[in-house]
Amino acid sequence: MLNDGRKKVLYKALTFTFGILFFSVIIAVLMVNWQKTDLDKGYIDVINEAQEVKIFNQFYDTLTANSNSCELMENQLYGLASKVYDLGEKVNLYFEQNKDSDDAKELQKQHVYMNLELWLRLIKFNKTCDDNRNYLLYFYPYNCTECSPLVESINDYRKKLGDKLWVFSIPGQIDSKMVEILMLYFKADYLPSLVVNGNTIKGPEAFKDIEKYIK
Amino acid sequence: MYIDFLFLISSAVMLFIGILYLLGYFSRDINDPKPERFYGISVLIPVWNEEKTIVNTLDALKSMKKNYKGKLEVVVVDNNSKDSSYNIVKAYIFKNKFVRVIKETKNQGKSYAFNKGIKYAKYDLIACVDADSYPSPDSLNHMIGYFDDKTVGAVTTKMTVKNPKKIVEHFQDIEYIYSNFLLSAYDALDSIYVTKGPLSIYRADVLKKIGGFWHPNITPTEDMEITFRIRKAGYIIRASKQAKVYTSVMPTWKRLFWQRIRWNRGSMVNFVLHRDMIVNPKYGFFGVVTMPLVTLTMFMITVLVYYCVTRFYNSIYLFFERLFYYIYYGQFPNLSIYLEGLFSKGLFVVPVLITLFIVIVFVWLGVNYLGFRESKEKLGIKRLVLLLVSPFFYLPCQVFFWVCAFIIQVFKGTSKWR
């Protein structure tokens, strides 16, 4: 059997191990709470800004309700675009850090809807003010390594055409009926897919045909 | 997620083992007991193609004899060497009458050579020395005192690498230094399960009683196997704190691989052969604690190393992938997100793991420091760098050796002494 000295060492080792494990759990709880508070703060910031965007739209909608002032509509379009892009970066950051959380998914969905709203306003602006700004809807899959040339090409067009090309990136796998219907409408049944001014191009090689549909 | 959980359990078990050994180490006797009498010792050296090292080994034994007050003889058993080992020993005997040589006509393995030597040995104690090892001159004086206790069946000693030159030798050097810490801790906890080949002393009557060393067809590591049988015969194994033996190590990765395959297969075979000792209170701390923990360690280390290395290499890969995009495209919008992710949760998902990991790193640094202290070796820049690199390179290599040994053991039965 075990002698007393070795028994003592064994019990001491067990005590130390459980002590350290307990300590680790305490630290872990503190870290999780601290991280959660930090994330909550980030979430609230994004929500506040989203609220601002809504108020901003209501403000311009009220102003343009009884007139078709293209100047006002253009102001609204650019104002909304800058807010949507700024917000997009924050939403992406939050989403990257909290991929599995429901809050992150909800935020991403809200941002996609803002993008779509911006897209609809662009179409309305083009029609009302007889403008020909190009739009590109980019339906992308998550974790797409083969999409790099496509993204690079879109960025090149963006640089080349400036505000003549408006790009709207939409995650194709998002849990949203609206996105689903939109993809169905444009027959974008493959990811990645591009819709350039109403014309659908499918697959990672889609960048080769963008030029064809740019006005 | 499952691998995180497995890592958590493995970390906790390894932490317990680390703390146990540390506490054991601190409860050790610092000095070896002074001998009441100087026993006669027969030193056995099995030789097989050792023409490059045998003279140095015999010279080391000569200076050991000068320092030892008791009687000492050296019996060299030549295992039918193909080189000039036998002639070199014959020439050596001419001037040194305390050495004898036995020539075998067939190489039947190291254990057979030992058993042959045991038959020819004249004295009460038998020291087994490898032909590429060089005991320090005062080793026997430090080791002999343990045999005044009649329950001690064998005494082993610390090992240090002789003049490491190549990287592969330096890695083994660090490993041996660390193992010297373990040896002291094991000794304090009555947990020694290997009487090391480079220098160990056995009671002659115990060796005869248990039937000597077993054939390599039964076990590839006879020095470990005999330790189990000595324990089963009711004797304990001790380790000297002050004696030291310098040994040559494998000079190439290929040879290291095959050595470790043999050692690891030996460990598996021996633990299976003597599984009746596991959790058996008859064998005290060794049976109840050491054997189960050593068995667990084999699995846990694999999990820990796999986890840490895959996480580490994954992060490095991701970092360079992002860096490539950043350089190539001039801009990478997600770089900041990536960096934040890396430091907040990329390396270790669960915060408990971070805390545990930090503790384990400290324990690891602690035991390595104590290894250097115990081995009386200096930690130079070269050793420090290799020590820091070893968890990412040498440890994964060892895990690889374990996996290969396991596969070979499963698909192949017997083995031969190399």
Side-chain angles (χ1 to χ4, degrees):
Chain A
M1 279 310 290
L2 306 186
N3 76 22
D4 284 347
R6 290 191 189 116
K7 243 186 211 173
K8 221 183 239 180
V9 171
L10 186 65
Y11 292 150
K12 261 192 202 171
L14 279 170
T15 313
F16 272 117
T17 308
F18 280 108
I20 290 169
L21 282 176
F22 181 70
F23 175 73
S24 307
V25 172
I26 298 282
I27 296 274
V29 170
L30 289 176
M31 280 173 80
V32 166
N33 280 340
W34 167 70
Q35 200 180 20
K36 201 165 175 278
T37 319
D38 208 41
L39 292 176
D40 284 348
K41 197 171 158 281
Y43 180 72
I44 290 164
D45 280 352
V46 179
I47 289 288
N48 284 343
E49 283 190 39
Q51 199 64 34
E52 251 180 59
V53 173
K54 275 184 189 165
I55 295 166
F56 171 86
N57 276 338
Q58 280 172 6
F59 170 72
Y60 269 95
D61 283 346
T62 317
L63 284 183
T64 55
N66 298 318
S67 78
N68 279 338
S69 163
C70 286
E71 201 184 333
L72 270 177
M73 280 176 83
E74 198 174 3
N75 278 347
Q76 182 184 17
L77 203 60
Y78 279 91
L80 181 63
S82 81
K83 281 184 184 297
V84 169
Y85 284 128
D86 282 353
L87 197 60
E89 281 183 20
K90 287 179 187 171
V91 170
N92 282 338
L93 180 72
Y94 189 83
F95 186 74
E96 281 289 325
Q97 289 180 340
N98 307 278
K99 268 181 190 147
D100 300 327
S101 90
D102 290 341
D103 285 350
K105 285 175 191 164
E106 191 53 39
L107 268 188
Q108 196 194 38
K109 205 187 273 186
Q110 292 301 324
H111 183 248
V112 167
Y113 292 161
M114 281 181 207
N115 254 306
L116 293 179
E117 190 177 348
L118 183 65
W119 170 63
L120 291 170
R121 283 178 192 276
L122 177 74
I123 291 171
K124 190 182 169 192
F125 173 76
N126 274 347
K127 273 187 186 165
T128 315
C129 303
D130 200 19
D131 207 300
N132 62 345
R133 276 159 222 227
N134 298 285
Y135 72 84
L136 188 153
L137 297 176
Y138 171 40
F139 294 103
Y140 63 90
Y142 293 127
N143 305 320
C144 178
T145 45
E146 54 183 9
C147 298
S148 306
L150 183 58
V151 175
E152 193 196 347
S153 177
I154 293 171
N155 284 336
D156 285 347
Y157 276 107
R158 224 183 208 165
K159 278 180 200 162
K160 203 166 94 182
L161 298 172
D163 70 345
K164 288 282 170 200
L165 175 69
W166 290 53
V167 178
F168 305 92
S169 298
I170 296 156
Q173 287 149 312
I174 196 170
D175 180 23
S176 158
K177 208 75 198 161
M178 199 192 293
V179 172
E180 208 178 296
I181 291 167
L182 198 65
M183 286 174 72
L184 211 61
Y185 176 79
F186 284 116
K187 297 192 174 80
D189 52 3
Y190 186 88
L191 290 175
S193 278
L194 299 180
V195 177
V196 186
N197 297 325
N199 304 288
T200 308
I201 322 164
K202 297 176 202 173
E205 302 284 300
F207 62 90
K208 289 176 183 165
D209 295 326
I210 294 177
E211 191 137 25
K212 251 196 260 175
Y213 303 111
I214 297 281
K215 285 183 253 174
Chain B
M1 199 61 207
Y2 291 113
I3 188 76
D4 287 337
F5 192 61
L6 204 59
F7 176 72
L8 186 71
I9 295 173
S10 306
S11 302
V13 173
M14 291 308 293
L15 182 69
F16 169 68
I17 294 172
I19 291 172
L20 183 69
Y21 291 160
L22 273 175
L23 292 173
Y25 174 80
F26 288 117
S27 69
R28 78 199 186 286
D29 299 323
I30 292 170
N31 294 316
D32 296 316
K34 282 196 175 160
E36 287 169 12
R37 58 175 277 223
F38 289 89
Y39 303 86
I41 300 177
S42 302
V43 180
L44 306 184
I45 313 176
V47 171
W48 185 58
N49 298 341
E50 306 280 1
E51 63 180 9
K52 286 179 187 164
T53 57
I54 186 64
V55 171
N56 289 337
T57 303
L58 289 171
D59 281 344
L61 293 177
K62 197 174 166 182
S63 34
M64 200 162 78
K65 184 177 164 59
K66 275 183 195 164
N67 278 277
Y68 185 59
K69 287 175 192 161
K71 288 179 181 172
L72 188 140
E73 63 161 352
V74 175
V75 180
V76 178
V77 184
D78 183 81
N79 242 328
N80 194 25
S81 296
K82 298 292 173 208
D83 64 2
S84 54
S85 300
Y86 178 71
N87 292 332
I88 290 171
V89 178
K90 281 289 264 187
Y92 197 90
I93 291 172
F94 192 67
K95 285 182 185 172
N96 300 281
K97 300 295 177 198
F98 70 100
V99 182
R100 286 190 285 154
V101 66
I102 300 162
K103 173 81 176 166
E104 287 295 308
T105 49
K106 199 177 158 193
N107 178 10
Q108 297 187 69
K110 192 179 177 183
S111 53
Y112 183 84
F114 272 135
N115 290 339
K116 190 86 182 216
I118 292 167
K119 276 186 199 163
Y120 282 83
K122 288 193 288 193
Y123 298 119
D124 295 342
L125 298 180
I126 290 177
C128 294
V129 175
D130 281 347
D132 58 353
S133 301
Y134 320 98
S136 61
D138 55 351
S139 302
L140 294 181
N141 294 323
H142 292 304
M143 295 168 84
I144 210 82
Y146 287 100
F147 287 100
D148 291 336
D149 177 354
K150 298 289 174 208
T151 61
V152 173
V155 177
T156 189
T157 187
K158 291 176 199 161
M159 294 195 300
T160 308
V161 176
K162 172 105 175 159
N163 297 332
K165 287 187 184 95
K166 296 176 183 172
I167 291 285
V168 61
E169 292 173 330
H170 280 289
F171 274 122
Q172 291 170 84
D173 173 44
I174 287 168
E175 183 190 7
Y176 280 34
I177 286 170
Y178 163 74
S179 74
N180 289 338
F181 156 79
L182 275 186
L183 188 69
S184 289
Y186 279 151
D187 181 53
L189 296 170
D190 184 26
S191 302
I192 295 169
Y193 58 92
V194 191
T195 42
K196 295 175 180 183
L199 175 61
S200 291
I201 307 178
Y202 305 86
R203 275 187 201 279
D205 56 343
V206 173
L207 285 183
K208 283 170 191 163
K209 191 173 148 190
I210 62 173
F213 290 88
W214 276 0
H215 195 268
N217 281 346
I218 305 171
T219 173
T221 48
E222 75 296 324
D223 50 357
M224 180 193 268
E225 193 284 325
I226 202 160
T227 315
F228 290 103
R229 278 187 295 128
I230 291 173
R231 284 188 177 278
K232 278 185 172 174
Y235 294 90
I236 58 168
I237 317 287
R238 297 300 308 267
S240 166
K241 315 294 179 308
Q242 289 157 290
K244 198 170 171 179
V245 57
Y246 294 90
T247 187
S248 307
V249 284
M250 295 295 124
T252 62
W253 287 102
K254 191 180 169 187
R255 289 183 64 185
L256 177 70
F257 174 80
W258 285 111
Q259 183 200 48
R260 295 313 160 98
I261 292 295
R262 186 172 69 83
W263 285 7
N264 296 338
R265 286 178 68 192
S267 301
M268 286 182 244
V269 168
N270 295 332
F271 271 73
V272 172
L273 278 174
H274 300 287
R275 59 189 178 279
D276 55 316
M277 292 177 85
I278 300 177
V279 207
N280 191 339
K282 195 174 150 192
Y283 303 107
F285 196 90
F286 183 78
V288 177
V289 182
T290 309
M291 284 196 75
L293 284 187
V294 172
T295 314
L296 262 182
T297 309
M298 294 177 194
F299 296 104
M300 298 298 179
I301 282 194
T302 308
V303 174
L304 285 187
V305 171
Y306 169 79
Y307 188 88
C308 292
V309 169
T310 50
R311 290 279 178 184
F312 177 74
Y313 285 133
N314 197 21
S315 303
I316 295 279
Y317 170 76
L318 277 174
F319 180 76
F320 281 105
E321 188 194 52
R322 305 278 163 147
L323 201 65
F324 169 76
Y325 277 110
Y326 189 74
I327 293 165
Y328 193 74
Y329 296 117
Q331 187 190 4
F332 196 87
N334 278 343
L335 191 67
S336 59
I337 294 169
Y338 165 72
L339 287 175
E340 278 194 35
L342 178 72
F343 292 113
S344 68
K345 60 176 185 172
L347 265 176
F348 298 101
V349 183
V350 189
V352 176
L353 296 182
I354 300 173
T355 323
L356 262 187
F357 183 74
I358 291 167
V359 174
I360 286 175
V361 167
F362 274 101
V363 170
W364 177 75
L365 287 173
V367 296
N368 276 291
Y369 164 74
L370 293 172
F372 276 93
R373 203 174 79 169
E374 201 57 28
S375 310
K376 296 186 177 69
E377 292 286 323
K378 282 181 184 165
L379 174 71
I381 296 287
K382 204 174 198 175
R383 277 176 166 165
L384 180 68
V385 171
L386 289 170
L387 181 66
L388 294 173
V389 169
S390 64
F392 305 104
F393 181 70
Y394 192 59
L395 264 180
C397 285
Q398 287 184 321
V399 170
F400 173 69
F401 299 153
W402 263 111
V403 174
C404 291
F406 180 76
I407 293 167
I408 293 172
Q409 187 57 36
V410 169
F411 291 103
K412 200 177 164 192
T414 55
S415 60
K416 283 183 181 174
W417 179 49
R418 283 173 176 275

